[in-house]
């Protein structure tokens, strides 16, 4: 949300629970720059399915199943049309920087892959990671009014 140092940063989360999660800023693998304070934004939802402002949704946290090969992720709901889809890695397994990509989004599923950073090496093998995702069907604006300030870890 704010650029305090690196031009490219992604976030990685780990240790997700009902009371919080660990988050780290991850620059490209070849970067030697030090860390500075950054501002991040996030959406936290309990795993669930339901209706949000008349739109069918599901928010889920998968088991550590997704690797460096595209694998299908089947939705709990069947949507009338292709849903909006937002996802990210929910674990930080292995030592290499990685991010999530998807393809072939349909009304019932999407294919997901964990892709490693190639700025330092061309090796792309990555162990299994969990995925957190939100799928929302229909049109409209999901609205929430809860705002939190989380403590920082020392």
């Amino acid at each position: 949300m704010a650029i305090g140092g690196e031009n490219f940063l992604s976030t990685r989360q780990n240790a997700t629970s009902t009371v919080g999660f660990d988050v780290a800023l991850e620059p490209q693998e070849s970067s030697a720059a030090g860390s500075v304070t950054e501002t991040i934004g996030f959406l936290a939802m309990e795993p669930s399915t339901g209706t949000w402002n008349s739109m069918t949704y599901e928010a889920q946290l998968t088991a550590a199943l997704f690797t460096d090969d595209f694998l299908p992720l089947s939705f709990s709901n069947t949507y009338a049309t292709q849903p909006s889809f937002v996802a990210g890695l929910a674990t930080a397994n292995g030592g290499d920087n990685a991010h999530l990509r998807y393809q072939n989004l349909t009304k019932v599923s999407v294919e997901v892959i964990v892709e490693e950073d190639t700025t330092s090496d061309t090796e792309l093998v990555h162990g299994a990671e969990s995925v957190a995702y939100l799928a929302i069907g229909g049109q409209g604006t999901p609205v929430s009014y809860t705002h939190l300030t989380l403590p920082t870890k020392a």
Side-chain angles (χ1 to χ4, degrees), residues 78-154:
T78 300
Y79 297 92
T81 60
Q82 177 180 301
S84 297
F85 180 73
V86 178
L89 295 174
T91 51
N93 299 330
D96 287 332
N97 296 5
H99 53 271
L100 195 67
R101 291 186 58 207
Y102 73 90
Q103 66 180 15
N104 299 327
L105 176 62
T106 70
K107 298 184 290 187
V108 297
S109 68
V110 64
E111 293 176 346
V112 177
I113 189 172
V114 178
E115 187 173 78
E116 288 193 355
D117 180 348
T118 59
T119 60
S120 275
D121 62 46
T122 58
E123 178 270 316
L124 296 175
V125 176
H126 197 87
E129 300 276 5
S130 295
V131 170
Y133 74 92
L134 173 63
I136 303 174
Q139 294 184 4
T141 303
V143 177
S144 176
Y145 298 102
T146 304
H147 301 278
L148 302 175
T149 301
L150 299 177
T152 57
K153 240 183 183 180

Side-chain angles (χ1 to χ4, degrees), residues 67-84:
T67 65
D68 52 282
D69 290 314
F70 275 107
L71 293 174
L73 186 159
S74 296
F75 298 132
S76 300
N77 294 325
T78 300
Y79 297 92
T81 60
Q82 177 180 301
S84 297

Side-chain angles (χ1 to χ4, degrees), residues 29-81:
E29 203 169 40
S30 64
S31 175
S35 298
V36 299
T37 301
E38 299 280 359
T39 301
I40 64 165
F42 65 93
L43 170 68
M45 294 181 72
E46 298 257 352
S48 58
T49 62
T51 303
W52 186 3
N53 288 11
S54 301
M55 295 176 291
T56 302
Y57 81 91
E58 63 189 81
Q60 300 295 343
L61 177 63
T62 73
L65 302 171
F66 297 93
T67 65
D68 52 282
D69 290 314
F70 275 107
L71 293 174
L73 186 159
S74 296
F75 298 132
S76 300
N77 294 325
T78 300
Y79 297 92
T81 60

